[in-house]
Amino acid sequence: MTHFLQQTMTERPYLLSSHMSGINGIPENYVRSIEKHFNIIWFDDYLKNKEELASKIQLVFMWSFRPIIDEKILQSLHQLKAIVNAGVGVDHLDLPLISSFGVKVANTPHVVDEATADMGMALMLASARNVLEAHQFLTSPGMKCLPYNWLGVEVTGATLGVIGMGRIGYKVAQRAKGFDMKILYHNRNRRTKEEEGLVGACYCAKIDDLLQESDFVMLVVNLNPQTCKLIGERELCLMKPTATLINISRGAVVDQDALVKVLQKRLIRAAALDVTDPEPLPRDHSLLQLPNVIITPHTGGSTAKTRCKIMEKMLENAIAAVNGLPMPDEVLPK
């Protein structure tokens, strides 16, 4: 990469991105890294001066799903070569449409795997041991005694069902093995016997078998037409009444109306969600009112180390694209 970096301000290619800092903006220290290689056009500035700026833009950096890429913006960016996405999932991008404009897409696989698997385990443990409720109880003004008979559920020795045994799902299994959990998994393609043996995982050809036997069900699938609302009322009702649903994939993988119904009736014990549909949920959404739900704001890959790696991979793909080289992490339309 280094031999492309000796560029002056005027020589540097232009890229479009959302905004700097704030809740969903690119952190300032990452901006400095980008500006070593590219001139940044922020989306608000682009909207104010489209005619002058559109012809300069060769790249779009998608950070926190922004800016939204639609046909109108693709038509205006005549020099656009690539869209580089922060993170693995590209379900928010219309890949066939983008490809029809001759534009390539890259993501940042692998770098989010460890942090996302950690998040899955964190949600499982927090839900099982009532961590949030315990904190709220202990810090409440009226607290006078410790809740000795307020009981959680065991994680060690329990059965974990992993739906989606790709890179992240397998890392979840590695962590669960350390808790002596019995691990079941359902996946489009079965892992090798050696891979199964290393984590002690048992393959379930039928998702129903996994749902019926698991104490914790963790969703780690990509969102696509086949997995949209993969878990609906029928699937939830197959789960044990003592079981917990954990979702670290995409919100739309679960039928949220069905999940609310099942949780309200206590047909399953709890749900722990790092993703919802939409994000964030409307403030009056029923999931936000239920005591047996933990929701975090899609923070699976939100660690300082992981975000730094994401930016490094984005830059690697972007530099390749503007120099006419294959992007290491190009995502092809299906």
Side-chain angles (χ1 to χ4, degrees):
M1 208 174 12
T2 55
H3 63 288
F4 295 129
L5 308 186
Q6 308 301 319
Q7 296 169 313
T8 67
M9 174 70 78
T10 54
E11 291 173 335
R12 285 183 293 172
Y14 286 80
L15 66 79
L16 177 67
S17 196
S18 54
H19 59 283
M20 183 173 69
S21 299
I23 295 175
N24 293 311
I26 299 178
E28 188 173 352
N29 58 317
Y30 297 169
V31 171
R32 290 195 296 269
S33 297
I34 297 170
E35 288 179 334
K36 293 177 182 177
H37 317 294
F38 301 98
N39 293 313
I40 304 174
I41 297 173
W42 301 112
F43 193 64
D44 284 346
D45 295 330
Y46 164 77
L47 292 176
K48 294 173 185 175
N49 196 5
K50 288 183 184 180
E51 291 186 6
E52 180 183 343
L53 297 177
S55 61
K56 297 181 178 181
I57 295 168
Q58 297 186 47
L59 295 160
V60 172
F61 263 28
M62 292 288 297
W63 189 263
S64 188
F65 308 119
R66 295 172 177 82
I68 295 172
I69 302 298
D70 54 20
E71 187 169 5
K72 186 176 180 180
I73 195 169
L74 288 167
Q75 289 172 339
S76 68
L77 302 180
H78 304 296
Q79 303 301 318
L80 186 62
K81 294 181 178 180
I83 297 167
V84 183
N85 183 68
V88 181
V90 291
D91 49 274
H92 55 290
L93 294 172
D94 187 336
L95 297 182
L97 173 66
I98 294 168
S99 180
S100 72
F101 281 84
V103 177
K104 297 181 178 181
V105 172
N107 63 353
T108 59
H110 308 293
V111 296
V112 302
D113 297 355
E114 303 285 359
T116 305
D118 286 350
M119 189 67 185
M121 298 301 291
L123 286 170
M124 179 167 62
L125 290 165
S127 180
R129 300 306 302 270
N130 303 314
V131 170
L132 294 186
E133 288 179 272
H135 172 79
Q136 291 166 358
F137 181 88
L138 194 63
T139 57
S140 65
M143 199 282 287
K144 294 181 180 179
C145 63
L146 296 176
Y148 185 73
N149 291 319
W150 186 19
L151 305 178
V153 297
E154 294 279 350
V155 170
T156 299
T159 298
L160 171 64
V162 180
I163 299 178
M165 188 66 92
R167 296 187 315 274
I168 297 172
Y170 194 76
K171 290 187 180 297
V172 167
Q174 289 174 328
R175 286 154 173 75
K177 186 175 185 288
F179 284 87
D180 294 324
M181 300 187 82
K182 178 183 178 182
I183 301 166
L184 308 177
Y185 79 97
H186 175 78
N187 200 47
R188 183 175 54 186
N189 299 310
R190 183 171 182 174
R191 288 272 183 171
T192 66
K193 292 289 185 181
E194 181 182 5
E195 290 169 332
E196 290 178 349
L198 287 172
V199 295
C202 298
Y203 177 65
C204 293
K206 296 180 180 179
I207 195 171
D208 289 7
D209 295 337
L210 179 148
L211 293 168
Q212 290 171 332
E213 296 181 36
S214 299
D215 299 303
F216 301 91
V217 175
M218 192 174 301
L219 304 175
V220 204
V221 296
N222 293 324
L223 178 61
N224 55 48
Q226 289 71 45
T227 60
C228 185
K229 295 192 176 180
L230 176 69
I231 303 299
E233 186 172 357
R234 187 191 77 84
E235 289 75 23
L236 290 165
C237 288
L238 288 174
M239 293 172 61
K240 298 178 181 179
T242 54
T244 298
L245 180 73
I246 304 156
N247 189 3
I248 56 172
S249 55
R250 286 291 187 268
V253 170
V254 178
D255 182 338
Q256 289 182 165
D257 292 337
L259 180 60
V260 168
K261 181 178 178 181
V262 167
L263 287 167
Q264 287 174 335
K265 293 183 177 181
R266 300 277 179 168
L267 299 179
I268 64 173
R269 176 182 177 272
L273 314 171
D274 187 45
V275 288
T276 58
D277 183 30
E279 293 176 351
L281 289 172
R283 297 298 83 192
D284 60 350
H285 197 282
S286 298
L287 278 175
L288 300 178
Q289 319 305 323
L290 293 173
N292 50 345
V293 178
I294 293 175
I295 301 179
T296 51
H298 203 147
T299 53
S302 297
T303 70
K305 182 178 180 180
T306 296
R307 285 290 174 87
C308 185
K309 288 181 177 179
I310 286 173
M311 182 53 64
E312 289 173 356
K313 289 296 288 182
M314 291 178 77
L315 286 170
E316 183 181 351
N317 282 288
I319 290 168
V322 297
N323 285 280
L325 300 174
M327 293 190 296
D329 304 299
E330 182 177 353
V331 181
L332 299 175
K334 296 180 179 180

